[in-house]
Amino acid sequence: MDNIHAPTVPAGPSSRPLTNGNAKHLSFAELQAKKENLEAELKALGGVLDSHGVNMETPLTTADGFPRADIDVAQIRTTRARIIHLKNDYKDLMNTIEKHLHEHFASIQDIEDVAPAPVSHAEMLGDSIPETLAETFAKVNSVVADSPADSAGLKPGDEIRNFGYANKSNHDDLKKVAECVQGNEGQRILVKISRRAESNRRQELQLNLIPRRNWGGRGLLGCHILPL
């Protein structure tokens, strides 16, 4: 019998190449966006394990060697495998970011002949660099009054650029949005939207959406989202 505790995919190198080509040629802002996406997805997957009451080391068999009937063993194994791959991706990405930082400091020193003061990853990749807006991939079709979506400030017609870790390149026909919602029940999700304002101008907003049950309606959000 196969080791039931093992992930369905073997651990090893990164699960896939970083999107948008070679990460070495990406800007600091793009690298930071990838870092945030990976962190958000890892958090969501951790939430999936928490919902089953397990972690990466919890046994999945009974004392006599049979699969436990009180948990979804297949989903847990798949989730663990995804976490392992994402952690490998995250490690590779952080190595790339560190290399970029060293090269950035070296270029400053070459030009000014002055050693730069130590700067953290967050400072280098934060507000000092203009944010590159992601493409919109979904549109809010309707919002129920007094729902979590309504409380967050979502409105019909809003176009979504980022929904947690879901974006144009990975949303998989909104499946990643659903996964993000289910894995973050009761937790804050950062949603970046583009809203039509006066004179057909666009307003870029960042909203904090907290999925929850028992708000008085169906689902965890209380809104209908369509892919663009």
Side-chain angles (χ1 to χ4, degrees):
M1 183 181 208
D2 292 340
N3 182 2
I4 196 168
H5 307 297
T8 54
V9 183
S14 301
S15 59
R16 63 195 183 285
L18 294 170
T19 56
N20 297 333
N22 193 331
K24 296 179 181 180
H25 300 126
L26 297 180
S27 68
F28 280 120
E30 290 170 326
L31 288 170
Q32 176 68 355
K34 289 184 180 296
K35 175 176 174 289
E36 292 175 354
N37 287 343
L38 283 173
E39 290 172 344
E41 187 170 357
L42 282 167
K43 180 180 177 182
L45 292 171
V48 173
L49 294 183
D50 290 343
S51 70
H52 289 280
V54 303
N55 56 35
M56 295 293 288
E57 306 298 331
T58 303
L60 303 182
T61 56
T62 60
D64 51 2
F66 290 97
R68 289 174 54 181
D70 59 322
I71 55 177
D72 189 336
V73 172
Q75 183 180 16
I76 293 169
R77 293 180 67 204
T78 300
T79 302
R80 285 176 171 178
R82 181 67 176 158
I83 289 173
I84 290 170
H85 282 169
L86 287 180
K87 284 184 175 180
N88 285 329
D89 288 345
Y90 189 83
K91 180 179 178 181
D92 291 343
L93 180 61
M94 292 306 298
N95 288 336
T96 300
I97 289 174
E98 184 176 2
K99 183 177 180 180
H100 273 263
L101 290 173
H102 286 308
E103 292 174 351
H104 176 76
F105 292 148
S107 66
I108 293 176
Q109 189 167 12
D110 289 341
I111 295 172
E112 300 181 356
D113 197 27
V114 176
V119 180
S120 71
H121 287 176
E123 290 169 342
M124 276 300 303
L125 303 176
D127 296 337
S128 62
I129 299 177
E131 180 180 9
T132 301
L133 293 176
E135 291 184 56
T136 57
F137 68 91
K139 185 175 183 178
V140 179
N141 187 44
S142 62
V143 178
V144 179
D146 299 322
S147 65
D150 186 39
S151 299
L154 277 176
K155 297 182 182 299
D158 287 346
E159 295 185 5
I160 299 173
R161 297 187 185 279
N162 298 85
F163 194 106
Y165 56 78
N167 54 45
K168 175 76 171 180
S169 65
N170 70 4
H171 70 86
D172 190 18
D173 200 25
L174 302 187
K175 291 178 183 178
K176 287 292 183 182
V177 173
E179 179 185 279
C180 184
V181 170
Q182 293 169 3
N184 285 278
E185 183 178 349
Q187 303 293 323
R188 186 182 69 178
I189 299 175
L190 179 63
V191 181
K192 297 181 181 181
I193 65 167
S194 179
R195 177 177 296 167
R196 188 178 300 280
E198 296 179 359
S199 302
N200 288 327
R201 299 180 64 183
R202 305 299 299 188
Q203 185 180 16
E204 303 300 328
L205 301 172
Q206 296 188 26
L207 307 178
N208 293 316
L209 176 58
I210 302 178
R212 68 178 190 278
R213 301 179 190 275
N214 303 322
W215 56 269
R218 296 176 57 186
L220 298 176
L221 299 183
C223 68
H224 187 212
I225 300 174
L226 298 174
L228 291 177

